Amino acid sequence: MNETDEIKLMFDKIAHRYDFLNHFLSFGQDIIWRKEMADQVVDNNTHLVLDLASGTGDSAIALLKRGVNVIGLDISFEMLKTGANKIKKKYSRQSQLFNKKISFFPVTGSGYQIPMRDSFVDAVTSAFGIRNMHDTEDALREIYRVIRPEGRVVILEFSLPESSIRKPYLFYLKKIIPAMASMLSVKSAYEYLGKSIEEFYKPSEFVRLLDRCGFKNIKAFSLSFGCVYLYVGVK
Ligand SMILES: C[S@@+](CC[C@H](N)C(=O)[O-])C[C@H]1O[C@@H](n2cnc3c(N)ncnc32)[C@H](O)[C@@H]1O
């Protein structure tokens, strides 16, 4: 089994617990982070957004609320199914999506080979997904390919704060979160979370990588004391 297959299997396994743990372990901050991401991506020229590593659909919901069509791409069928069901339930009562003439299209597939022609979407978002694509440069070049000229990439990703909260944050990440996750039998996935955050690019390195992949006007915003970063770039 290759690395991507292992990651897919891991997310398939935790799909039914993911939303609860996400909101609980981030103290509800994840909802605010995704709103900030949607604010950065949607303007009058944004009609179709690819939400890469869409998972259980919370970023897609933040985007749909702003009236744009969303393609949710993810390698994990179980994560995507949970998200698609949630979106269907949320909007079914008054056929709200239909009334607004916007749609959510869930697609299973890999970020390394996005099943889309060049310049197909106005923007790409990815919340806490890019860290799982260890050939990050390849993934960013693929994202660049599918965005139309002048379109935007907006990426949310965890980071390790440089300030005095680094130590307690690492303790929370590496000890408390796996302990809590073990009560729900998903310990190894949450051990992976801490490890992958530690191994991921520093914000300055990630900005350089976006630049190397062709993006311009790159900005990086620190959220929640630097525990999360929001990156914006233009094609
Ligand atoms: C931490 S979850 C984030 C989900 C969602 N974006 C959110 O904000 O809650 C990471 C997601 O990335 C997906 N993923 C990992 N590697 C991927 C790849 N190579 N291509 C597409 N999706 C991938 C996983 O299946 C998982 O759903």
Side-chain angles (χ1 to χ4, degrees):
M1 205 188 300
N2 68 30
E3 190 181 63
T4 306
D5 288 340
E6 279 174 20
I7 289 174
K8 175 193 175 310
L9 200 67
M10 181 181 78
F11 280 104
D12 275 343
K13 273 190 192 154
I14 64 166
H16 64 298
R17 299 276 189 215
Y18 181 82
D19 278 357
F20 167 74
L21 279 168
N22 223 2
H23 303 323
F24 181 72
L25 298 173
S26 75
F27 308 105
Q29 291 291 299
D30 62 309
I31 297 166
I32 299 167
W33 299 331
R34 289 193 189 82
K35 276 190 189 151
E36 300 251 4
M37 183 174 82
D39 285 345
Q40 285 293 332
V41 79
V42 178
D43 64 14
N44 290 340
N45 299 319
T46 316
H47 307 288
L48 178 61
V49 177
L50 166 65
D51 184 41
L52 176 60
S54 199
T56 56
D58 282 353
S59 303
I61 290 172
L63 292 163
L64 291 166
K65 279 185 181 160
R66 282 160 179 77
V68 294
N69 298 289
V70 181
I71 300 171
L73 181 75
D74 202 288
I75 42 159
S76 162
F77 176 76
E78 292 301 327
M79 290 287 280
L80 212 49
K81 188 175 81 180
T82 307
N85 285 339
K86 190 164 66 185
I87 290 170
K88 206 167 137 195
K89 218 164 156 189
K90 192 172 173 64
Y91 289 101
S92 64
R93 251 179 290 139
Q94 298 144 13
S95 311
Q96 288 171 34
L97 284 180
F98 183 71
N99 289 343
K100 285 186 190 166
K101 296 191 171 60
I102 52 169
S103 302
F104 174 67
F105 307 94
V107 179
T108 33
S110 168
Y112 295 121
Q113 279 179 310
I114 301 173
M116 238 172 237
R117 64 170 161 74
D118 296 357
S119 309
F120 190 65
V121 291
D122 296 312
V124 173
T125 55
S126 192
F128 313 111
I130 201 81
R131 179 176 31 86
N132 301 294
M133 295 178 219
H134 298 151
D135 294 325
T136 317
E137 183 161 346
D138 288 354
L140 288 177
R141 288 191 187 280
E142 185 63 352
I143 289 172
Y144 186 90
R145 181 184 71 76
V146 300
I147 301 176
R148 66 158 166 78
E150 301 304 321
R152 245 171 285 175
V153 64
V154 183
I155 291 175
L156 259 183
E157 199 44 87
F158 288 112
S159 181
L160 288 181
E162 297 291 343
S163 64
S164 54
I165 67 160
R166 186 184 177 97
K167 258 193 173 169
Y169 178 64
L170 271 171
F171 183 74
Y172 180 65
L173 205 59
K174 298 190 75 177
K175 299 284 180 216
I176 296 179
I177 289 183
M180 285 178 166
S182 76
M183 291 183 221
L184 298 174
S185 314
V186 288
K187 187 176 180 196
S188 62
Y190 285 81
E191 280 172 342
Y192 162 80
L193 172 75
K195 189 170 163 279
S196 64
I197 294 173
E198 271 195 297
E199 286 171 1
F200 192 64
Y201 296 89
K202 286 185 180 158
S204 57
E205 292 168 345
F206 193 68
V207 165
R208 273 202 296 279
L209 188 60
L210 283 167
D211 179 65
R212 198 155 72 228
C213 293
F215 291 100
K216 55 190 184 189
N217 301 342
I218 302 162
K219 293 184 189 123
F221 302 97
S222 156
L223 306 175
S224 302
F225 308 104
C227 295
V228 169
Y229 264 79
L230 181 65
Y231 302 94
V232 184
V234 177
K235 177 164 172 179

